[in-house]
Amino acid sequence: MASALSQVVAQHRPDLGPLQELYKFLHQNPELSNQESQTATLIAEKLKVIGPDDIIVKTNIGGHGLAAVLTNGDGPTVLLRADIDALPVEERTGLPYASTKRMVHAATGVEKPVMHACGHDMHITCLLGAAAALFSARATWSGTLVLVFQPAEERGTGAQAMIDDGLYTRHGVPVPDVVLGAHVMPFRAGSIGTGRGIVATSADSMEVTIHGRGSHASMPHTSIDPIVIAASTIMKLQTLVSRETDPADSSVVTVATVHAGDAENVIADSAVLGIDTRSTTVETRERMMRRIKAVVSSECACAESTKEPEFKMTRSFPLTINDIETTKKIEDTFSVHFGEEKGQYNRSLPRLGGSEDFSILATAVDKPYCFFMYGSIEESRWDQIEAQGTISKDIPANHSPMFAPVIMPTLQTGLDGYVLGALTFLGKR
């Protein structure tokens, strides 16, 4: 069956030239989370152009989310998902199609540079290309195809917003039997991979306000210095992983931002910390959240802070746990199509350090899912850097201002992955 699917892909894969130009346009025109209006409009227009007359395109779901539904006879319902938002990062790739865009962040009113530093522009392009292939190959499959273009993944809110807005109820999108998603990664271009079980960590982010008492910098004894409390807190938080977490487990606690004071001769009234934590089990996640709050509260109490610290949750991502049976079926298809030599298909990808809200589209209706990853680093460059043993140093990761997927063969690999994933469940036997 898998070899037959490969023939379908080869026969119906669309012209990649226009898709490459579309990718460049998307890369030059990124939009921040919850502000993806022009991106969503473009996707809807493309779907209506490439789609058959009976395709149904639903827009403005949970913000700027959209879904396309094509019913093609009896069979299962398969949902393919791509995310569409960008990041407040200033691009430094030097590419001729680099983003120079700036946007006023709606939540803060502050103008920020914007870049597709996580590769969501590639996700959009691959899924639109896969849609064209599946539309063309309609005679070879039976069932219902659902394409979801999700906003606000970077904030961890987009998938839940689409569910809360009635993706499967008010908007009438059929409940899928299986949900598939993908992510471009800083791996060798042309490679693709899956993993069984946990493939991405949970993530929780919070803003913590430490209250002190301001004073003159020359009279620290009259103050309760929130910066000193913050410094002590930051150092103590590092022990939650190094001294409280089983080395066989995996967890991260990062204090990513510190804001306090405006003048070098004034002790501030308060300090604000931005804390992020990642975990690989529900138990560790709950313990980390409890212990972070305990450490902050204890340090504040020790320093006799003027008020209890304040905790404001800013982001929350669930664990991404690939369904084993679903992933096994994807393994059978991918291994034959891509091959399993080095730089091809890897069925045992290491767990990602990053996090995703993709799984909510499946878990909200208690359905299985599989999330796969594909590479983006030009092959000869990857081989050279791998031989040097300097991948972590010389290969920019997602969210870096230098993150720049090579368009080909990245585009074809991601596109083929989506098509093969759908046909694994929809293909006529």
Side-chain angles (χ1 to χ4, degrees):
M1 184 62 187
S3 59
L5 296 187
S6 294
Q7 293 175 15
V8 172
V9 173
Q11 180 180 351
H12 295 279
R13 186 187 297 122
D15 181 359
L16 300 182
L19 287 171
Q20 293 182 59
E21 294 306 311
L22 173 62
Y23 169 78
K24 293 176 183 178
F25 179 84
L26 290 167
H27 191 84
Q28 285 183 306
N29 294 275
E31 293 181 293
L32 293 171
S33 303
N34 299 307
Q35 296 177 230
E36 314 95 332
S37 58
Q38 294 180 12
T39 303
T41 297
L42 175 63
I43 293 169
E45 291 173 351
K46 293 292 183 183
L47 286 168
K48 290 174 183 177
V49 169
I50 66 175
D53 292 339
D54 55 341
I55 191 173
I56 299 171
V57 179
K58 300 171 180 287
T59 59
N60 301 312
I61 307 174
H64 298 296
L66 62 153
V69 181
L70 180 61
T71 301
N72 189 39
D74 296 331
T77 297
V78 175
L79 187 155
L80 305 180
R81 175 268 205 178
D83 38 12
I84 68 174
D85 55 328
L87 286 159
V89 174
E90 187 166 12
E91 183 162 356
R92 294 194 288 109
T93 62
L95 291 168
Y97 52 88
S99 171
T100 59
K101 188 167 182 178
R102 301 182 69 87
M103 292 183 75
V104 174
H105 184 226
T108 63
V110 177
E111 185 181 79
K112 299 183 178 183
V114 190
M115 176 192 175
H116 268 300
C118 202
H120 296 184
D121 46 352
M122 185 61 74
H123 301 172
I124 297 167
T125 309
C126 287
L127 187 52
L128 285 173
L134 289 164
F135 297 158
S136 173
R138 189 171 183 175
T140 70
W141 59 271
S142 182
T144 299
L145 175 67
V146 179
L147 309 171
V148 168
F149 294 85
Q150 180 208 305
E153 184 277 334
E154 296 295 352
R155 301 308 306 163
T157 58
Q160 189 63 53
M162 293 187 78
I163 295 296
D164 292 344
D165 193 33
L167 174 68
Y168 301 127
T169 54
R170 186 169 73 86
H171 291 281
V173 173
V175 173
D177 293 295
V178 65
V179 178
L180 305 176
H183 209 297
V184 64
M185 299 297 295
F187 306 150
R188 192 180 196 272
S191 66
I192 191 167
T194 56
R196 300 182 188 182
I198 296 175
V199 293
T201 64
S202 65
D204 297 285
S205 302
M206 67 186 79
E207 181 182 276
V208 177
T209 302
I210 294 172
H211 297 284
R213 182 171 62 237
S215 186
H216 197 288
S218 68
M219 295 181 286
H221 61 290
T222 65
S223 75
I224 297 177
D225 193 336
I227 295 178
V228 173
I229 301 173
S232 179
T233 298
I234 292 168
M235 296 307 296
K236 180 63 176 178
L237 287 172
Q238 306 311 304
T239 66
L240 298 185
V241 173
S242 67
R243 288 297 176 269
E244 295 188 20
T245 301
D246 187 334
D249 196 354
S250 178
S251 190
V252 175
V253 176
T254 299
V255 180
T257 63
V258 182
H259 298 284
D262 295 301
E264 65 273 20
N265 63 343
V266 178
I267 295 174
D269 274 323
S270 63
V272 180
L273 306 181
I275 303 175
D276 183 79
T277 179
R278 312 282 169 138
S279 302
T280 56
T281 67
V282 172
E283 295 75 17
T284 300
R285 182 183 195 183
E286 292 174 349
R287 179 176 60 81
M288 278 297 179
M289 293 297 291
R290 184 178 68 254
R291 290 293 293 141
I292 287 170
K293 292 179 179 180
V295 166
V296 175
S297 296
S298 296
E299 293 295 332
C300 289
C302 182
E304 298 184 338
S305 294
T306 56
K307 290 194 295 184
E308 291 288 324
E310 297 174 20
F311 300 88
K312 177 184 176 183
M313 295 302 300
T314 56
R315 296 196 314 163
S316 184
F317 292 83
L319 286 164
T320 303
I321 307 174
N322 278 350
D323 176 70
I324 291 177
E325 291 305 314
T326 301
T327 305
K328 283 181 180 178
K329 294 176 181 179
I330 296 292
E331 290 172 358
D332 292 341
T333 304
F334 280 13
S335 61
V336 173
H337 179 82
F338 294 105
E340 292 192 77
E341 298 297 323
K342 184 177 180 181
Q344 297 178 332
Y345 170 60
N346 181 357
R347 65 177 68 213
S348 301
L349 276 185
R351 184 182 300 150
L352 301 180
S355 304
E356 262 285 344
D357 67 347
F358 151 81
S359 63
I360 293 171
L361 297 172
T363 58
V365 284
D366 195 26
K367 296 297 180 180
Y369 63 87
C370 179
F371 195 67
F372 64 89
M373 281 70 74
Y374 54 101
S376 63
I377 306 302
E378 194 273 324
E379 298 98 309
S380 61
R381 180 173 176 234
W382 173 272
D383 292 342
Q384 179 184 357
I385 293 173
E386 183 181 40
Q388 295 170 180
T390 58
I391 289 175
S392 61
K393 175 185 175 183
D394 294 333
I395 298 292
N398 305 75
H399 292 209
S400 164
M402 299 296 290
F403 184 68
V406 60
I407 300 177
M408 289 293 292
T410 306
L411 171 58
Q412 181 172 318
T413 303
L415 187 161
D416 285 5
Y418 274 126
V419 176
L420 288 163
L423 292 178
T424 297
F425 301 95
L426 296 174
K428 290 180 178 178
R429 300 306 195 262

